[in-house]
Amino acid sequence: MAALCKWPRNLAALAAALPGGGGPGRAPAPAPALEPAPEPLPETAAPATAALYVHWPYCRKRCSYCNFNTYVVPAVDESAVRACLVREARTLLCLGQVHSVTSVFFGGGTPSLASPGTVAAVLEAVAGAAHLPSGAEVTLEANPSSTSTLRLAGFRAAGVNRLSIGVQSLDDAELRMLGREHTAAEARKAVEAARELFPGRTSIDLLFGLPGQSQDAWTQRLEAALRLCDDHISLYQLTLERGTVLAAQVQRGALPASPQDLLADMYQAARTALVGAGFRHYEVSNFARKGALSTHNLSYWRGDQYIGVGPGAHGRFVLRGEGGCSREARVQTLEPVTWMQEVQSRGHGTRSRVVLSLLEQLEELLTLGLRTDEGITQERWGHFSPHLSLQAVFGEPGEAQALQQEGWLVLDSRGLRCTWAGLAVLDSLLPDLLWQLQRVLGAARRPPRGTLAEERAGGRDVRASPLPSRLDC
Amino acid sequence: MALAGRAALRWRARLPSPWHAAAPLCRPAWLPATCERPLSSRGKDKVDMSAYPVERIRNFSIIAHVDHGKSTLADRLLEITGTISKTDHNKQVLDKLQVERERGITVKAQSASLFYNHEGINYLLNLIDTPGHVDFSYEVSRSLSACQGVILVVDANEGIQAQTVANFYLAFEAQLSIIPVINKIDLKNADPERVEKQIEKLFDIPTDECIRISAKQGTNVEKVLQKVIEKVPPPQCNTADPLKALVFDSTFDHYRGVIANIALFGGEIAKGQKIMSAHTKKRYEVHEVGILTPNEQPTHKLYAGQVGYLIAGMKEVTEAQIGDTLFLYKQPVEPLPGFKSAKPMVFAGMYPIDQGEYNNLKSALERLTLNDSSVTVHRDSSLALGAGWRLGFLGLLHMEVFNQRLEQEYNMSVILTAPTVPYKAVLSSAKLIKAYGKDQITIINPAQFPDKLSVSEYLEPTVLGTIVTPHEYIGKIITLCQDRRAVQKDMLYIDENRVMLKYLFPLNEIVVDFYDALKSLSSGYASFDYEDAGYQSADLIKMDILLNGNPVEELATIIHSDKAHAAGKLLCERLKETIPRQLFDIAIQAAIGKKIIARETLKAYRKNVVAKCYGGDITRRMKLLRRQAEGKRLMRKIGNVEVPRDAFIRVLKRETDK
């Protein structure tokens, strides 16, 4: 299998030369073949890197707020699932000609319900198909109800070096409302056990804005969490997703909806408290101290390549193995049983592939990059758009300049980023910025009066996913 | 496969109509497949219309209150006479417009020639379907001018309604013979006896003259046809006379130009004849004549007393004046009296969303107004909205329907301003009198509202409204009418539990939402119709709506001073609910001159950022953001405030439950 992946260097080099083709931290790549005047750069031959996401789709019980792609089944055929995760990871790493995997994240579902052996098998496969540096971040999402010290030690032995614990709340009544299986005491114990085994590399998730939650209650939860936590906290405002039990309860008035202003107050109070406690607010919902940022999640926000393995997992990478030259958005088949059949017969369960245009890649970069405190650096932007700088798109009079004058945004020699105030209202800034980007890019690429709809329609649909004929991964 | 076919058909039906209406051999896509013509227009054997001398012709309309079954009866008549084949799918066959089928109303009069054998004699029956809503009574009176009789349809359950009364008087004043028909006798709560008594009491028609039918089930429908032949007199005219044709309607075909619906009051008309318009004095050569069955079917000739269509190379939208008389070149006749032109009751500004679309919108308006000549069009322009028009409509439904047709048939999206009624001002300022050349002006645009200092009196239009209601709602209805500054003129029990009320209303009080309010407080049982009743003196002022201090031109209104505070407050509240929150506070104010009479504040967003954004969510999220970004193009900017295009219309369309 690995032998098949040794593709002629020049082909890989060509693929790497194109936007979106590279890994993190690489210097600007030349333009795609369609763009005028590509400038070859020395780094173009750099081997591809990618982050890897592995989806474990099963839970013991569905939480009342969750609309993720998860399944509660009486018995999981773990060896079959393991074999499929392993096989798909190998196939996709090979298709992407990934030389080095920068991080691995086991998410779900409840991946802490999988056995350490499954985690080990996937990591071994990754190390076999690509280089997995010894210091690479390997995170596992864990529920307090499946995190005995023994299990955690097993995961550590399998190669996991970072734990993200779904604490969600430190109040029993709130936990019940959320449909969680654990109590506040169990959550505490889980975090303490995790900190023993993963010191400095344990993260906790907390939810705020629960129906009926007061500002005071939230402040208390936060204080309790600060006493408990390690160096990383994710604070998520509860989103009432359509189709969830909780959303239905709020909809019919069985639970109160939280007022917008209260949610804003809770967010501001939490930001202030955490920054006061020495945390860096490095993304809309993420806080870290002592440099304990999640490198895996950062790679999403920085627009790096990532590969998604498992039912419903998403990916963004260049199909170098197919001789591809543009980044694709790929989604794996949602339903686990179907997904497994596909992996068994074709080596992977990719359900949809869409080639992303330059505009689409830049739109994603803006949308994700502005969520971080560093924003979008000049260098990163240049990597995607070597010919049209941040300054050229957003430095001219227009939406971005107005937003900058109003104090929501900063554009300087470092890059484009939100101010402290701007971060909290990013979703009100993005439509303006995207609209400006569409206009400027449209004007730069074609004579006036072209529509972006054409641009979007063109180039995409590679739909379905026949396995590439040239490469038998 | 079958499903795909159906979807394709539906999709085709949504195409803007000029494109498919254009293909003459193509059945309009929205007509049921079974609606085949019995006499193919492609066949060489054209119908010989000379077989139908005047004594074998009956021209009639069906008039009814909305939903009393007019279109269903028309469908049955078309089936019985073999004009369309009989299937379960014939629903609103004559209602060809998408908007008519969607809303279940008739907007535009349609004609159909039916052939029927009665006691061994073949008759030509021309059915002219008429609109049901009060806004379109102008269409009704126009249709009636080509008729000698009407079928007055009354619902056996609901009984006489306000429009039944109005339609009856239209027919009565036109001296048409009236055939009363009580429909829906198959319904469980049908009470035809009660309805017959109402008809006797109100219209003085003996109870035994009413025909009880169920148009839905076809019961007694033949009887109606027989009554038409017996009771409706044949048209009084002569084929030997010189040609005299009344244009009573017209449609515009993208390829063939103007298709005029004509009624012959004398002579005959055939292809190749040279004709002249009494109104424009222009000459034409007749390309095609024919009858409507209900699609156009060419014939060799049309003769006196007959109703059909004419194509004569009229290309300009203004050439086929409705009410015009056509005659043979060099054989002039005394023109027919024509029509009172439709009197617009409601005016609104219409502007292209993008000024680049001005010319397209202009040509769409020209075509649509040819098919709907009751709309008046004046060029207008505004600082904020650019070049556009001020349109006059018969009522608010008419305005909505017109707008919907622009969207559906011409793919045009527009900005519509708040509707206003035609106020008048008696000028006192010599300077203004000189400028206008008269001392009394009509104000159809709030922007032109003259200041109180230069006016001796403002006048507002009034209407005489008729309300028919079950008596238990009288109290609420009287309160509603008083709220609307109306004065009671009459109150009459039409049977033990139904009352007819007459009120004099200021027109602006009923224009927007009176009908909806009446319907909701009477659980849908009360009905309403109105007629023009001249002008009265009124204390009027102009109210502006400001967003962060900038006036919103679409929302400027002329209003009675007693109503200003309440209306201003309501508008501000509604705007607050309609405008999306933005990055800064927005002051929403109502002002009279410089004085603020109401204010709401829409607070700025303090937090608006999605909590989680990782790999899995991004595609869906990008879709939403792109839609929002593209929506920016369609935002109306008032100062720095962004307002969705439809926000103002949503604000004006009051919801009755509030």
Side-chain angles (χ1 to χ4, degrees), chain B residues 60-65 68-70 73 77 150-157 159-160 164 178-185 192 195-196 199 203 205-207 209-215 219-221 223-225 227-228 231:
Chain B
F60 69 102
S61 273
I62 309 177
I63 54 178
H65 190 78
H68 279 197
K70 182 167 43 72
L73 177 58
L77 295 180
V150 295
I151 301 173
L152 177 68
V153 179
V154 187
D155 185 309
N157 182 14
I160 287 181
T164 321
I178 294 166
I179 300 168
V181 162
I182 297 175
N183 188 23
K184 306 197 192 179
I185 55 167
V195 179
E196 281 166 4
I199 289 174
F203 304 147
I205 298 174
T207 49
E209 281 188 26
C210 295
I211 312 173
R212 298 182 182 185
I213 69 161
S214 161
T219 321
N220 285 343
V221 175
K223 229 188 220 170
V224 176
L225 277 178
K227 259 292 195 298
V228 166
K231 266 191 81 176

Side-chain angles (χ1 to χ4, degrees), chain A residues 236-237 260-261 265 267 285-286 301 306 314 316 363 367 371 424-428 431-432 435 456, chain B residues 581 583 605-616 618-619 621-622 625-626 628 630 632-633:
Chain A
Y236 298 113
Q237 179 182 313
Q260 289 297 317
D261 280 339
D265 288 340
Y267 185 62
S285 303
N286 286 277
W301 301 320
Y306 59 92
H314 291 238
R316 292 281 186 283
E363 286 173 334
T367 303
R371 296 179 64 85
V425 291
L426 174 60
D427 291 357
S428 290
D432 275 330
W435 174 221
R456 291 239 158 72
Chain B
R581 290 172 78 175
L583 289 169
Y605 257 130
R606 290 180 47 224
K607 177 174 190 290
N608 180 29
V609 60
V610 72
K612 269 198 184 188
C613 207
Y614 298 105
I618 186 74
T619 302
R621 174 122 192 86
M622 289 314 302
L625 283 169
R626 281 189 195 112
Q628 289 175 354
E630 272 154 26
K632 289 273 167 191
R633 196 162 40 98

Side-chain angles (χ1 to χ4, degrees), chain B residues 302-320:
Chain B
L302 287 176
Y303 298 90
Q306 297 178 352
V307 171
Y309 71 93
L310 161 104
I311 300 174
M314 296 178 178
K315 290 192 189 69
E316 284 294 316
V317 293
T318 46
E319 286 173 87

Side-chain angles (χ1 to χ4, degrees), chain A residues 390-429:
Chain A
L390 267 178
Q391 205 64 36
V393 178
F394 298 114
E396 301 298 316
E399 286 85 344
Q401 226 171 55
L403 293 172
Q404 195 168 356
Q405 276 157 14
E406 289 160 19
W408 309 112
L409 212 59
V410 180
L411 173 62
D412 61 15
S413 57
R414 276 162 57 200
L416 180 71
R417 61 192 173 278
C418 288
T419 60
W420 171 263
L423 193 67
V425 291
L426 174 60
D427 291 357
S428 290
L429 314 182

Side-chain angles (χ1 to χ4, degrees), chain B residues 57-237:
Chain B
I57 298 172
R58 300 292 182 271
N59 295 325
F60 69 102
S61 273
I62 309 177
I63 54 178
H65 190 78
V66 67
D67 276 345
H68 279 197
K70 182 167 43 72
S71 296
T72 313
L73 177 58
D75 292 345
R76 283 306 89 73
L77 295 180
L78 293 177
E79 283 172 12
I80 288 178
T81 54
T83 310
I84 56 172
S85 50
K86 193 176 171 182
T87 71
D88 295 337
H89 309 299
N90 292 332
K91 285 204 173 111
Q92 286 184 274
V93 171
L94 291 181
D95 291 342
K96 294 185 186 179
L97 300 177
Q98 187 185 343
V99 45
E100 294 180 318
R101 301 184 146 256
E102 279 176 10
R103 292 179 178 232
I105 56 171
T106 303
V107 170
K108 180 127 183 75
Q110 292 288 342
S111 314
S113 293
L114 322 177
F115 298 93
Y116 185 65
N117 188 295
H118 178 58
E119 293 174 348
I121 301 169
N122 281 321
Y123 286 90
L124 168 63
L125 309 179
N126 295 308
L127 160 61
I128 295 152
D129 193 17
T130 59
H133 189 276
V134 43
D135 277 5
F136 303 105
S137 59
Y138 169 73
E139 287 267 344
V140 176
S141 58
R142 227 169 57 197
S143 306
L144 296 186
S145 67
C147 295
Q148 285 75 44
V150 295
I151 301 173
L152 177 68
V153 179
V154 187
D155 185 309
N157 182 14
E158 291 189 357
I160 287 181
Q161 297 294 316
Q163 271 165 267
T164 321
V165 180
N167 284 331
F168 170 83
Y169 283 111
L170 282 176
F172 186 76
E173 281 160 16
Q175 296 182 313
L176 305 183
S177 56
I178 294 166
I179 300 168
V181 162
I182 297 175
N183 188 23
K184 306 197 192 179
I185 55 167
D186 56 305
L187 290 186
K188 208 173 70 192
N189 296 322
D191 188 356
E193 221 155 291
R194 181 176 63 94
V195 179
E196 281 166 4
K197 281 186 192 143
Q198 290 178 350
I199 289 174
E200 185 172 40
K201 176 157 186 185
L202 230 55
F203 304 147
D204 210 16
I205 298 174
T207 49
D208 58 359
E209 281 188 26
C210 295
I211 312 173
R212 298 182 182 185
I213 69 161
S214 161
K216 196 172 149 205
Q217 297 178 349
T219 321
N220 285 343
V221 175
E222 288 260 10
K223 229 188 220 170
V224 176
L225 277 178
Q226 289 155 12
K227 259 292 195 298
V228 166
I229 289 167
E230 287 164 18
K231 266 191 81 176
V232 176
Q236 299 284 318
C237 49

